[in-house]
Amino acid sequence: MNPTVVPPPARDTVPERQAVINLSAIAHNIAQLRSIAAPAKLMAVVKADAYGHGMIPVARTALAAGAHWLGTAHVAEALKLREAGIDAPVLAWLHTPSTDFAAAVSQGIDLGCSGWELEHIAAAARAEERPARIHLKIDTGLGRNGSSMAGWDALVSDAIAFQDEGLLRVVGVFSHLAVADEPHRPETDAQIQAFREAVAVAEDAGADLEVRHLANTPATLSRPDTHFDMVRTGLGIYGLSPFEDRTSAQLGLVPAMTLQTRVALCKDVPSGQGVSYGLNYVSGRPTTLGLIPLGYADGIPRIATGGPVRVNGVTYPVVGRIAMDQMVIDFGPDGREGFSAAEVPGSALGATAVLFGDGSGGGPLVEQWADAAGTVNYEVVTRISQRVPRTYVGGPGGLDGTPGSEPAADEGGA
Ligand SMILES: *Cc1c(COP(=O)(O)O)cnc(C)c1O
């Protein structure tokens, strides 16, 4: 007698966890920001792996959708754009004495310059026998990078001396705003005024500027008087709002990242069941717990207990501590009318669990995770770790008015 061979259950091919990046949403946001900024040009800021969205696919989509420039913090990031064959204008602005200025010059990357870099950039240009292109940065009040106002005249005249030697061209002047996300604050007016004066000094000294640029996303959206020749938008191209009191939808933007996984375990527990390290959450009645296989190693802030997870059309708060790999939701009655444990039997095993997305159908938003973690939406998306594969849907064609249009082929990770 042959024993009966039971075939193993088939493994299904749904990704275990993924950040789905909707490139059509990015294209839509670029078009929206371009129309707001016009006639100023638009720089798509793709630093920090495009705020976690994947630098190369985002950069390609942004350019195809009409972005004129790309921006990165580091030269190393800008070099990766060139290695991918992207030859659009790129500016990198945050350097150290270890920065490879020679590679930047040879690859035609524009360099922000706050002062000390000038000698290094000129030396690199001499070595590469190619003039550098620089954007002088003035600190108009943020107190971070940029030349002090006191040092500006000297920086401009040193730069123009190198320009006269043929080692570089001063093609830009720029600065960064401190409080543009709070449009009522007067400091922005002072920064604009200081910026105008700095630009005048550079032009009077002989700089033939291609681009004067000051605005980030919040200023692009709220202060047309900051647009000058170009705006530098990061957050907005990812479809997120920089304002406390205005949503993406109110700004005509569509969030591009959906973070999702699958319920890894669904189990009935008695009243009094403690949940996760510290047992900080204890079930108040017999209930059903759902295990969500994402944790702080995936970039979910450990502090963000209470953050929303949507399963089968219902949003549940995370209960108990978020661990390295996993977190727990309680399918039980807290906050839900007429719950019966029978509603969520083992059937939720493998169900899609969405932590945040574009908000369609009342789905959870990045901002709810930011609130749960005491941080901003910028940080939540940027921290999603490389353990979470990025999947790309859509393309530079835009949304045709409907978020979540037909997925195109997976373009692979960056
Ligand atoms: C990151 C950055 C930006 C983009 O800011 P958003 O608020 O994301 O639009 C613009 N300029 C500089 C100098 C930056 O560092």
Side-chain angles (χ1 to χ4, degrees), residues 122-398:
R126 201 175 277 120
E128 296 296 320
E129 298 180 348
R130 174 172 176 169
R133 288 169 47 93
I134 69 168
H135 301 229
L136 294 176
K137 187 164 196 186
I138 174 85
D139 179 359
T140 54
L142 178 60
R144 290 191 338 198
N145 209 353
S147 163
S148 66
M149 305 227 236
W152 183 246
D153 288 21
L155 173 60
V156 167
S157 67
D158 290 350
I160 295 298
F162 283 125
Q163 176 170 289
D164 290 344
E165 272 186 68
L167 287 172
L168 54 81
R169 283 185 49 218
V170 179
V171 298
V173 167
F174 75 122
S175 187
H176 198 32
L177 294 167
V179 295
D181 56 324
E182 301 170 81
H184 60 279
R185 288 183 60 167
E187 293 95 330
T188 300
D189 298 303
Q191 287 199 260
I192 294 168
Q193 185 53 34
F195 184 65
R196 287 185 187 287
E197 286 163 19
V199 166
V201 167
E203 289 180 335
D204 289 348
D208 181 15
L209 300 177
E210 290 174 18
V211 278
R212 302 163 299 163
H213 46 111
L214 178 62
N216 52 5
T217 295
T220 300
L221 293 167
S222 69
R223 294 288 304 240
D225 53 347
T226 61
H227 291 178
F228 293 92
D229 303 311
M230 180 165 74
V231 300
R232 303 185 307 268
T233 49
L235 193 73
I237 70 177
Y238 308 106
L240 302 179
S241 169
F243 304 115
E244 278 280 315
D245 58 354
R246 279 194 277 170
T247 63
S248 299
Q250 287 168 335
L251 298 169
L253 301 172
V254 178
M257 183 190 289
T258 298
L259 181 65
Q260 63 186 50
T261 183
R262 306 185 70 188
V263 175
L265 180 68
C266 202
K267 111 179 135 183
D268 295 339
V269 296
S271 179
Q273 173 71 57
V275 173
S276 193
Y277 298 126
L279 304 177
N280 294 349
Y281 179 81
V282 178
S283 67
R285 70 211 82 197
T287 188
T288 304
L289 300 178
L291 188 63
I292 307 300
L294 282 169
Y296 60 78
D298 303 292
I300 310 302
R302 180 173 176 273
I303 197 176
T305 296
V309 180
R310 194 163 181 90
V311 179
N312 291 337
V314 180
T315 302
Y316 305 91
V318 170
V319 296
R321 272 194 207 150
I322 293 173
M324 186 182 292
D325 312 306
Q326 48 196 296
M327 59 179 89
V328 174
I329 55 177
D330 185 351
F331 287 118
D334 295 337
R336 274 226 292 150
E337 287 293 306
F339 169 84
S340 112
E343 280 179 55
V344 270
S347 69
L349 174 66
T352 298
V354 175
L355 277 70
F356 56 81
D358 65 11
S360 57
L365 295 167
V366 177
E367 287 74 19
Q368 294 170 269
W369 280 96
D371 289 346
T375 185
V376 289
N377 49 10
Y378 290 78
E379 187 177 354
V380 175
V381 289
T382 303
R383 286 171 62 119
I384 299 305
S385 80
Q386 290 305 314
R387 192 159 77 154
V388 179
R390 270 63 172 174
T391 305
Y392 295 90
V393 300

Side-chain angles (χ1 to χ4, degrees), residues 25-38:
I26 289 185
H28 164 88
N29 299 328
I30 293 275
Q32 172 76 352
L33 293 164
R34 261 191 72 175
S35 75
I36 290 166

